[in-house]
Amino acid sequence: MIEFFFDCSSPWTYLAFHNIQPLAKELGDEISWRPILVGGIFNTVNPSVYAQREKPVPLKARYMKKDLEDWARSAGLAIKMPPTVFPVNSVKAMRGCIWLGNDMVPFATALFEAYWGEDKDISQDAVLAEICRKVGVDEQKFFAGISDQGIKDQLKTNTEEVVARGGFGSPTIFVGKTDMYFGNDRLPLIREALLRRRASAA
């Protein structure tokens, strides 16, 4: 089992979300999708992210933009960095993923594409309603669902859980509960970990 803790407000998470699915399918592993709020993680254990945004190192920032573009090209994805609205308030979007449960992947995919590919503000109800219609989700039920206290609590619980397990950002990926990986570029290591587990179980 692969656990994938994610917030759609991260460009590297968009890449990892896209890239890990064929990897899991190829190796016959299931993915447990765990929506979180990455801002809650930053506030709790990784506030240096905010300082880096306020006073970026120009050389590093320029390279990071190139790096993201290279990875996006490799994945066949369009990413605009930064989007017009950045960072974005993803609370409603991530609550929506939790509300959809096992059916969240098409919605999450459309969220990522709307924000990173089409530069749409996914904090806005009109954009979320448009995404719901695109993937066949009843928008009235969606907005009622994400207002449920249990959904709000689950998002908070997921965020607290990933911090308690050592996570400090999005995406945070676990193989076998304790083997943690962070970021899109760790997928080759995740592949190796999955193959090792398969070999040891044989």
Side-chain angles (χ1 to χ4, degrees), residues 41-190:
I41 294 177
F42 295 160
N43 291 340
T44 305
V45 295
N46 195 8
S48 64
V49 170
Y50 300 127
Q52 290 170 7
R53 285 178 184 169
E54 289 177 12
K55 294 183 179 180
V57 177
L59 292 175
K60 184 178 180 182
R62 187 160 62 242
Y63 176 75
M64 285 181 65
K65 188 173 189 302
K66 176 196 179 297
D67 194 32
L68 181 62
E69 289 169 352
D70 288 343
W71 278 107
R73 186 182 306 109
S74 176
L77 298 174
I79 294 183
K80 180 181 185 292
M81 183 64 190
T84 302
V85 177
F86 182 79
V88 71
N89 184 333
S90 60
V91 172
K92 290 182 179 180
M94 301 318 296
R95 286 177 185 166
C97 288
I98 289 180
W99 177 72
L100 285 162
N102 293 333
D103 299 320
M104 77 173 72
V105 171
F107 177 78
T109 301
L111 273 176
F112 279 117
E113 291 174 350
Y115 184 51
W116 293 108
E118 302 167 21
D119 196 21
K120 294 182 178 179
D121 182 358
I122 57 169
S123 70
Q124 300 300 310
D125 286 357
V127 174
L128 292 173
E130 178 186 338
I131 292 170
C132 284
R133 291 192 294 272
K134 181 178 179 180
V135 298
V137 172
D138 186 305
E139 59 192 270
Q140 291 185 327
K141 290 180 179 178
F142 173 87
F143 287 110
I146 65 174
S147 298
D148 182 82
Q149 190 60 47
I151 298 298
K152 296 178 182 179
D153 292 344
Q154 187 60 56
L155 184 58
K156 185 172 184 288
T157 297
N158 286 359
T159 304
E160 291 172 345
E161 178 185 337
V162 73
V163 170
R165 292 170 66 181
F168 50 86
S170 174
T172 299
I173 304 160
F174 288 91
V175 175
K177 291 291 183 182
T178 57
D179 192 9
M180 189 182 89
Y181 298 87
F182 173 70
N184 170 71
D185 54 352
R186 301 311 191 275
L187 290 182
L189 300 180
I190 292 171

Side-chain angles (χ1 to χ4, degrees), residues 31-45:
I31 302 173
S32 174
W33 302 104
R34 307 292 303 279
I36 57 170
L37 279 181
V38 76
I41 294 177
F42 295 160
N43 291 340
T44 305
V45 295

